[in-house]
Amino acid sequence: MSSTTHQTPVYSVELFPPKTAQGMEKLKGAIERINSVGPEYFSVTYGAGGSTRERTFETIDWLCGQGIDTAPHLACIGSTRAEVKSILERYRDQGIRRLVALRGDMPSGTGGGHSGEFRYASELVSYIRSQFGDVFSIEVAAYPEYHPQAGNPARDLEYFKHKVEAGADGAITQYFYNADAYFGFIESCCRVGVDIPIVPGIMPITNFTQLARFSDASGAEIPRWIRRRLEGYGDDAESIRAFGHEVVLTLCRHLIEGGAPGLHFYSMNQSDPVMRLWEALGLPQPG
Ligand code: FAD
């Protein structure tokens, strides 16, 4: 894993912008709790086509106001260059120095919307570099189990390499529960000369129905043995959480021991599952 061990591991946490004022208040509490263990940064998702734009800004503004290191996601599909530029200027002026640059997917029910001026994330990365130089450090998405629309794995890898050549500094993966998929992907990257840090995305398991829905949409596989155990617990939320914690803890240990350059937790705006993992893994904490 030589490509992934050349820097201090980065442990980060992802949030999504809440829909309601009440959700925002709950999120602030969750952020304060998670922030007490000292993640490197919080990232905040963004709806393609600008569908969650204002709510993303509100969440980013609050985080920046608290002096918390923040990485906004920016999805380019459905946007014009001028729209993207004004968002980037806003972030630059707020002192933001890290972005997660994505293509995104048009929200269903928009009738396709206007397709905008970017087709792929690589074009967004090139645009950011051409307009803003090295102001931002840029993370992109990676898919150890391959992107659901990818024609074949070799092509997907080639397109991933385009994003890196366009100027990405690092990548965060889609979540997965099979560590071999991650290590295999890293090996393939090494073979084609891609050696940016590729941080595994970690999805805690707390709710089977929700996880199954996400996994169907994103192409992230839930291994049969995990699915069967989760199904078997039915409505027993406590057993699902306990089993889910053990599965994800074992995965994280395996990834860290194998040289992963950090972990990126998909918090789903919940503090408890992330903090339980953080503590059980003995991840660095402030002071
Ligand atoms: P791309 O890298 O552009 O790839 C998309 C597809 O196009 C792939 O199948 C790729 O193989 C193919 N491709 C790329 N270049 C070419 C080319 N030149 N010719 C032909 N095919 C090509 N979505 C959101 O809407 N908001 C978010 O905040 C968000 N955050 C995310 C965070 C992470 C860490 C991850 C892993 C995903 C996130 N997503 C988010 C989901 C993501 O937007 C979708 O998975 C989307 O379908 C692909 O985005 P991408 O940036 O990976 O696209």
Side-chain angles (χ1 to χ4, degrees), residues 136-157:
F136 300 106
S137 143
I138 304 175
E139 305 290 329
V140 290
Y143 301 86
E145 296 178 319
Y146 302 101
H147 186 262
Q149 289 154 13
N152 69 56
R155 276 279 163 76
D156 208 27
L157 183 63

Side-chain angles (χ1 to χ4, degrees), residues 1 17 38 45 89 94 97 102 130 147 149 156 167 190 210-211 238 259 281:
M1 293 303 119
T45 63
E89 284 167 349
Q94 272 180 300
R97 291 295 173 261
L102 303 140
S130 73
H147 186 262
Q149 289 154 13
D156 208 27
C190 288
Q210 189 189 48
L211 184 68
E238 195 39 53
L281 290 164

